[in-house]
Amino acid sequence: MKTIWLTGSMIALALSLNAAPVSASTTDEQALMARVQGFYGWVLKNGTQVSKLQPAVRDIPGSNTFQLDTKNIQAFSGKFMASGFFAPEFITAIEHYYDKYQQQFAAYTPAEFAQMTKDGRGPLMESEDMDIFFCAQEYEYKKSFISKMKAKTVKLDGDKASIVVVSPYQWETGFHFARINKQWMITGYCVFQ
């Protein structure tokens, strides 16, 4: 049997190698949270303009029917992409969300439209009844509010990650990320998954 003697520097190297994943995940968690807070900083400057472009349910004049108006969807998704916080696949997440509702609305029968007219139409999509950036209602759009948002849970899986962010009001929003060119980019959040 051979005895292996380890020097102090060898032990320190072995310990630092074992500690590397912990510091890497802390670094990744900080980077993910910085991306979320950077995105919300962008929202403070651009949110009103971008919101005006989002697809919306429009009544069809002279009938009791409605449709989802997506004429601005490219401009809408383009604003997100121009922010620099989103991965290219985020466009697909936006399209998927609104396409789901286009198909649902196209399948309504005349009787269903008539019943909605009689009962009154409430929100048909989550995005009609909430802020599309903070994924909730009645958020305060201030830097101080954004700076108090914290990571509740973080999951890392190679070049993919997810984080649940909790606001000072204890409302939670989930974000998904992909690492692209060594930078975390948002692939989905809230209803856009």
Side-chain angles (χ1 to χ4, degrees), residues 71-85:
K71 70 177 179 272
N72 294 325
I73 196 164
Q74 287 183 339
F76 178 67
S77 59
K79 293 288 186 183
F80 281 94
M81 298 311 297
S83 73
F85 293 101

Side-chain angles (χ1 to χ4, degrees), residues 10 26-27 29 33-35 42 78 83 88 91-92 97 105 130 133 136 147 151 163 175 178:
M10 292 171 99
T26 300
T27 301
E29 181 177 331
M33 201 59 215
R35 293 304 275 177
W42 173 83
S83 73
I91 292 173
T92 304
Y97 175 76
F105 299 162
M130 69 174 190
F133 304 110
S147 69
I163 184 171
F175 285 81

Side-chain angles (χ1 to χ4, degrees), residues 39-50:
F39 163 61
Y40 282 133
W42 173 83
V43 168
L44 290 179
K45 294 177 186 173
N46 302 283
T48 302
Q49 177 190 19
V50 177

Side-chain angles (χ1 to χ4, degrees), residues 100-167:
K100 172 181 70 173
Y101 285 105
Q102 276 190 315
Q103 291 179 29
Q104 180 181 326
F105 299 162
Y108 284 157
T109 66
E112 288 172 313
F113 279 117
Q115 189 64 47
M116 281 188 258
T117 300
K118 180 182 172 190
D119 296 340
R121 179 182 75 78
L124 299 169
M125 306 181 295
E126 299 96 336
S127 58
E128 282 189 295
D129 199 30
M130 69 174 190
D131 176 88
I132 60 166
F133 304 110
F134 290 92
C135 308
Q137 296 175 343
E138 301 172 16
Y139 262 99
E140 296 177 48
Y141 294 103
K142 296 179 182 177
K143 288 182 182 179
S144 60
F145 181 80
I146 292 168
S147 69
K148 293 176 187 169
M149 298 178 109
K150 303 291 182 212
K152 181 176 180 180
T153 59
V154 177
K155 294 180 183 173
L156 297 170
D157 185 14
D159 286 337
K160 301 286 183 191
S162 64
I163 184 171
V164 174
V165 176
V166 62
S167 78

Side-chain angles (χ1 to χ4, degrees), residues 28 32 87-90 154-163 175-180 183-188:
D28 286 330
L32 292 168
E89 62 206 76
F90 184 69
V154 177
K155 294 180 183 173
L156 297 170
D157 185 14
D159 286 337
K160 301 286 183 191
S162 64
I163 184 171
F175 285 81
H176 296 276
F177 293 85
R179 192 182 340 243
I180 300 172
Q183 189 169 22
W184 288 112
M185 305 296 282
I186 301 168
T187 59

